[in-house]
Amino acid sequence: MNDQGFNRIIWSARRAGRALDVAKEQQLRHLEMHAAHYSLLAAASAHLGATGAELARELHVTPQNVASLANRLEQRGLIERRPNPRHLNVVEIWITDKGEELLAEADAAMIELERTIARVLGVDEAEKLRKLLEELADGLEHENRGFRAS
């Protein structure tokens, strides 16, 4: 494959990623939620009591980005911030019951999007794509070990 072919893989992946981002936003619209809010809620649910910095590392975004997203989720009563009992300057993020309920609805919307992907590609091809994407991510992470994107 020539250099031009490699470039097309990157651009095709970018195009697919953009289409997926749009589809996620559409699936979540009825919940008045953006994909970034969904990601933070899911991370807060999976990592109970994590700090904003920990969630930022998990989501590959800046702590400032998490703080901004958390403000919106806190205003909606979906998360709450609590001081760490041992380190009072450290604030933990906890998902509320209301947040868990909305997260369950958002998860259902994402499952429906996965079903759409399976309809578009076919079940076997969708599974092949999932495996290829995992293999690509693992391979690139291995190739780039020691390099940390900000």
Side-chain angles (χ1 to χ4, degrees), residues 1-149:
M1 187 180 288
N2 62 28
D3 288 343
Q4 220 173 13
F6 285 114
N7 194 28
R8 278 182 273 195
I9 291 169
I10 292 167
W11 284 102
S12 293
R14 182 181 180 277
R15 182 174 171 227
R18 178 67 183 131
L20 188 56
D21 288 343
V22 169
K24 286 188 289 188
E25 292 293 338
Q26 288 174 344
Q27 285 295 114
L28 294 169
R29 184 176 294 142
H30 74 282
L31 299 173
E32 298 180 13
M33 177 186 285
H34 293 285
H37 295 133
Y38 169 71
S39 295
L40 183 56
L41 266 186
S45 179
H47 305 283
L48 297 174
T51 66
E54 291 166 338
L55 293 174
R57 282 190 296 278
E58 175 70 21
L59 296 172
H60 305 286
V61 298
T62 66
Q64 294 84 354
N65 192 293
V66 167
S68 175
L69 294 170
N71 285 339
R72 175 76 174 116
L73 296 178
E74 189 173 38
Q75 289 170 357
R76 291 182 65 186
L78 303 174
I79 63 161
E80 58 184 37
R81 296 176 193 178
R82 302 178 194 163
N84 179 292
R86 286 173 273 146
H87 305 283
L88 297 180
N89 292 338
V90 175
V91 176
E92 301 172 342
I93 296 176
W94 291 84
I95 190 167
T96 63
D97 290 342
K98 181 179 176 183
E100 287 287 2
E101 289 171 15
L102 187 60
L103 179 59
E105 291 181 58
D107 281 337
M110 292 300 100
I111 289 168
E112 187 54 40
L113 179 53
E114 295 245 351
R115 287 185 182 124
T116 299
I117 293 167
R119 278 193 306 274
V120 168
L121 297 178
V123 174
D124 292 342
E125 291 298 309
E127 180 58 18
K128 284 180 192 174
L129 177 60
R130 186 196 63 76
K131 287 179 181 178
L132 283 171
L133 290 170
E134 287 293 330
E135 187 178 331
L136 176 62
D138 290 345
L140 290 176
E141 287 170 357
H142 177 76
E143 288 286 323
N144 295 316
R145 69 183 174 273
F147 172 77
R148 211 164 235 264

